[in-house]
């Protein structure tokens, strides 16, 4: 009898995070340019919820057109440079709940309390959050 590999449960924040990203992306009408298979965008952030107890994907959130966003999951082991070419790129390691708070506009600096992975990228987070929260 073949052994079954146990698949860890998905973090409960993953569903709400992706619903908010889908809602924001659905308002975006512009297509995203590609070069050599990579997205070519002005702003992008990667969000690695590696602090999660349960499984959670890494998300890439990127600018589309003047006011839209797009997003996708990034598989483990995939080099970000193979996926996106961004004029402004930032990212952070955080808990999926922090991603949810950031998407709701409740936590503008998801990387921590004054210290983090790349606080110099605050303008990238701010621009994408503005687009996500736009009516």
């Amino acid at each position: 009898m073949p052994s079954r590999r146990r698949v860890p449960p998905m973090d409960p924040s993953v569903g709400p995070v992706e619903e908010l990203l889908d809602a924001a992306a659905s308002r975006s009408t512009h297509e995203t340019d590609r070069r050599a298979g990579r997205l070519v965008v002005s702003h992008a952030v990667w969000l690695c919820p590696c602090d999660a107890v349960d499984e959670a994907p890494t998300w890439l959130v990127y600018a589309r057109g003047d006011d839209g966003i797009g997003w996708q999951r990034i598989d483990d082991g995939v080099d970000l440079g193979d996926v996106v070419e961004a004029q402004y790129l930032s990212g952070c390691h955080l808990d999926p709940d922090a991603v949810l708070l950031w998407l709701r506009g409740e936590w503008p600096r998801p990387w921590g309390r004054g210290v983090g992975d790349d606080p110099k990228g605050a303008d990238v987070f701010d621009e994408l959050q503005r687009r996500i929260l736009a009516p």
Side-chain angles (χ1 to χ4, degrees):
M1 178 176 356
S3 66
R4 291 188 178 183
R5 204 173 95 179
R6 183 180 174 275
V7 177
M10 200 56 78
D11 187 275
S13 295
V14 170
V17 162
E18 293 186 350
E19 288 172 15
L20 287 170
L21 289 170
D22 280 342
S26 72
R27 298 188 306 266
S28 304
T29 58
H30 291 85
E31 293 298 317
T32 305
D33 291 335
R34 291 187 176 268
R35 182 176 16 239
R38 294 185 309 267
L39 298 163
V40 178
V41 300
S42 61
H43 297 76
V45 295
W46 53 267
L47 304 166
C48 178
C50 53
D51 292 341
V53 174
D54 294 321
E55 286 294 303
T58 297
W59 294 288
L60 175 68
V61 181
Y62 54 90
R64 283 177 54 192
D66 293 330
D67 286 319
I69 67 123
W71 76 276
Q72 67 183 59
R73 286 182 174 192
I74 303 295
D75 293 331
D76 288 339
V78 171
D79 186 291
L80 196 58
D82 292 338
V83 178
V84 67
E85 183 180 321
Q87 184 177 2
Y88 304 102
L89 176 66
S90 190
C92 61
H93 299 276
L94 67 170
D95 185 279
D97 287 332
V99 176
L100 193 55
L101 292 171
W102 177 70
L103 290 171
R104 291 178 177 158
E106 298 168 6
W107 192 0
R109 304 292 185 256
W111 53 81
R113 296 182 181 104
V115 288
D117 298 340
D118 189 5
K120 292 178 270 184
D123 54 336
V124 182
F125 279 90
D126 291 346
E127 173 60 18
L128 290 168
Q129 188 181 57
R130 179 191 69 76
R131 292 165 178 250
I132 290 165
L133 297 175

